[in-house]
Amino acid sequence: HMTTAAERAGFAPGRLERIADHLNRAYVEPGKIAGCQVAVTRRGHLAYFKSLGQMDRERGKPMRDDTIFRIASMTKPITSVALMTLYERGYFQLNDPVHRFIPSWRDHRVWVSGEGEAMVTERPHRPVSMRDMLAHTGGLTYGTMLEALGAPADRHPVTKEYARIGVKRVDGETAESFIAKLAQVPLRYQPGERWMYSLSTDVCGALVEIISGKRLGQFLHDEIFAPLKMKDTAFTVPREKLDRFAANYTRAPDKSLKLLEDPEKSAYLKDPAFHSGGGGLAGTTHDYVRFCDMLRRGGELDGARILGPRTIELMRRNHLKGGKDLTEMAIGGFSETANEGVGFGLGFACTLDAVTSGSIVGSDWYWGGAFSTIFWVDAKEDLAVVFMTQLMPSATFNFRGQLKSIVYAAIEN
């Protein structure tokens, strides 16, 4: 009996095969998703990798091992790591005000009551900080953008201000115009007092550009993608890779699968004016596994050091005030995480407690994306998992909970 990579990684023989069994039975065969891909890495071994179903149903193309996916909000941890490489070089401290780099942010006001002309605001008790941008605790929101991702319509007066001022990260917007608009909207709450999923990570991307003097895509390439050999991750999909680009789907009201974006007509085919640090990247599972392995190993992979281990340790701790979890701190129900027993660090969520979160283990840190992609890293178990598919909205199925149950239950030693 040859020992498999899974066994060398400490998994019981055959038990990881439940991943494909489950995903095929529950999702691919019934047509709930077109296809998907899963990678499990532990102790430096690629213990499991599977491509299931189709990447482009309309063209009848099977999922390829090197399929390129829109990773949406899984861009956020990458942008957060990029900003922290500048922290490591001494450019800023976590408690520094953002207005050190964006002077127009000196004049922020905080919403108290009322709306429109009758809105009552107050001064922030302290300025919005760099930490707030990494941890979504600065009082920014997502404006009306989350509605497109399946969130309920938000009628809050601050949301109406985002709409009035036209805060968005679409074509025609630049990093400069984007952060200028964010200087004008009221903060939703006093900085540091609550948590709300927001455009903050797009601000982190703009801060990378301001501090480094490079466009975000170039900085990510030079400091993260090239050293880690993440050769297919970028804000654009070049023509020569178009054949590997997955179609994107949404769930219609009758629960059928409906094409949302044809890869051949995709916005990803041209370089956007605004490199969205909060959601703009596309890339492969293999690339994202390399990013996760770098995190899992404390900031280094194959001789390329991106961050120091102390920095990674700081990033994966809970930065919410008073060590609280998201049930106590979160405003608004929509983000890429459940709230019970979950905290938030500098760029990702962290499970604080297995029992409270109802999860098989309590030492992982993670995020997901709008098209139902997920990853998690668990340094204690020396494990990382990446799951890719292209289905919106991401709250449709609990891929994270199901995969965690199967993967951790397969660990033998």
Side-chain angles (χ1 to χ4, degrees):
H1 164 75
M2 291 276 293
T3 56
T4 64
E7 287 168 77
R8 284 195 298 278
F11 291 98
R15 279 171 74 98
L16 283 177
E17 291 308 321
R18 293 171 170 186
I19 293 173
D21 295 345
H22 171 69
L23 292 170
N24 270 323
R25 182 188 71 245
Y27 299 104
V28 178
E29 282 155 21
K32 290 179 177 176
I33 58 175
C36 63
Q37 202 162 69
V38 194
V40 179
T41 167
R42 189 166 186 247
R43 297 177 184 163
H45 300 286
L46 182 60
Y48 189 83
F49 184 89
K50 269 290 189 331
S51 300
L52 305 172
Q54 295 183 310
M55 60 180 268
D56 186 332
R57 205 180 49 162
E58 287 62 36
R59 293 183 179 86
K61 290 165 68 171
M63 186 66 71
R64 296 169 50 143
D65 288 355
D66 63 356
T67 292
I68 294 171
F69 301 88
R70 300 154 193 80
I71 66 169
S73 287
M74 276 168 47
T75 303
K76 288 183 171 77
I78 295 176
T79 302
S80 303
V81 164
L83 188 55
M84 291 303 284
T85 65
L86 295 166
Y87 166 83
E88 285 195 333
R89 292 173 207 180
Y91 283 102
F92 67 92
Q93 296 294 296
L94 289 179
N95 294 333
D96 283 353
V98 175
H99 67 60
R100 263 194 65 195
F101 302 104
I102 308 174
S104 63
W105 279 36
R106 281 182 189 279
D107 306 321
H108 269 142
R109 303 282 297 176
V110 180
W111 176 82
V112 177
S113 63
E115 62 178 271
E117 295 291 301
M119 185 179 284
V120 178
T121 61
E122 63 186 6
R123 287 180 59 98
H125 302 325
R126 64 158 175 80
V128 175
S129 70
M130 302 296 278
R131 185 202 313 261
D132 288 327
M133 291 300 94
L134 287 153
H136 299 284
T137 52
L140 298 187
T141 79
Y142 246 124
T144 55
M145 283 182 49
L146 293 180
E147 290 174 34
L149 306 184
D154 179 0
R155 307 268 178 256
H156 194 273
V158 170
T159 308
K160 292 178 183 170
E161 285 300 292
Y162 274 69
R164 185 180 69 78
I165 289 163
V167 177
K168 48 195 182 303
R169 54 178 190 200
V170 294
D171 224 28
E173 210 64 66
T174 63
E176 291 74 25
S177 66
F178 171 77
I179 55 181
K181 285 177 178 178
L182 284 176
Q184 301 168 53
V185 292
L187 302 175
R188 176 76 165 71
Y189 53 86
Q190 283 288 349
E193 295 301 314
R194 301 298 294 266
W195 183 92
M196 191 172 185
Y197 198 35
S198 70
L199 290 161
S200 296
T201 319
D202 284 297
V203 177
C204 291
L207 286 165
V208 167
E209 296 192 348
I210 291 164
I211 296 169
S212 73
K214 287 183 185 180
R215 284 205 78 197
L216 182 59
Q218 189 63 50
F219 187 89
L220 294 180
H221 172 270
D222 296 350
E223 302 297 327
I224 298 176
F225 304 151
L228 292 180
K229 301 185 171 61
M230 294 169 65
K231 58 187 187 300
D232 293 316
T233 304
F235 287 108
T236 51
V237 178
R239 287 266 160 210
E240 67 271 15
K241 295 181 185 180
L242 178 57
D243 197 42
R244 294 162 49 196
F245 192 27
N248 195 9
Y249 297 91
T250 186
R251 198 175 205 212
D254 68 357
K255 298 189 176 178
S256 67
L257 210 52
K258 184 164 135 256
L259 183 67
L260 188 64
E261 192 187 63
D262 178 341
E264 292 188 6
K265 301 189 179 94
S266 172
Y268 283 84
L269 300 180
K270 67 180 204 338
D271 190 27
F274 179 43
H275 286 176
S276 167
L281 291 172
T284 59
T285 300
H286 280 297
D287 279 5
Y288 213 88
V289 165
R290 292 191 65 78
F291 179 73
C292 288
D293 276 345
M294 175 275 292
L295 295 174
R296 174 180 68 82
R297 291 169 49 86
E300 173 275 336
L301 181 65
D302 296 342
R305 179 159 292 287
I306 309 300
L307 288 172
R310 304 295 184 282
T311 307
I312 299 281
E313 186 59 35
L314 177 65
M315 290 180 77
R316 70 184 189 87
R317 289 177 63 177
N318 182 21
H319 285 254
L320 300 178
K321 188 177 176 179
K324 294 185 167 127
D325 78 357
L326 287 171
T327 48
E328 300 172 274
M329 295 292 281
I331 298 174
F334 188 89
S335 77
E336 296 296 341
T337 176
N339 290 349
E340 296 78 18
V342 175
F344 204 87
L346 305 178
F348 7 70
C350 45
T351 306
L352 302 174
D353 173 59
V355 175
T356 312
S357 65
S359 156
I360 191 167
V361 79
S363 51
D364 59 310
W365 20 299
Y366 62 90
W367 204 239
F371 310 121
S372 305
T373 61
I374 64 167
F375 81 93
W376 77 85
V377 174
D378 186 336
K380 203 169 99 189
E381 285 289 358
D382 210 4
L383 170 87
V385 177
V386 175
F387 170 83
M388 297 285 200
T389 188
Q390 301 277 259
L391 175 77
M392 198 177 193
S394 59
T396 312
F397 303 117
N398 184 12
F399 291 118
R400 179 179 305 285
Q402 294 160 19
L403 283 170
K404 276 184 81 172
S405 303
I406 296 170
V407 170
Y408 283 106
I411 295 176
E412 195 167 48
N413 60 58

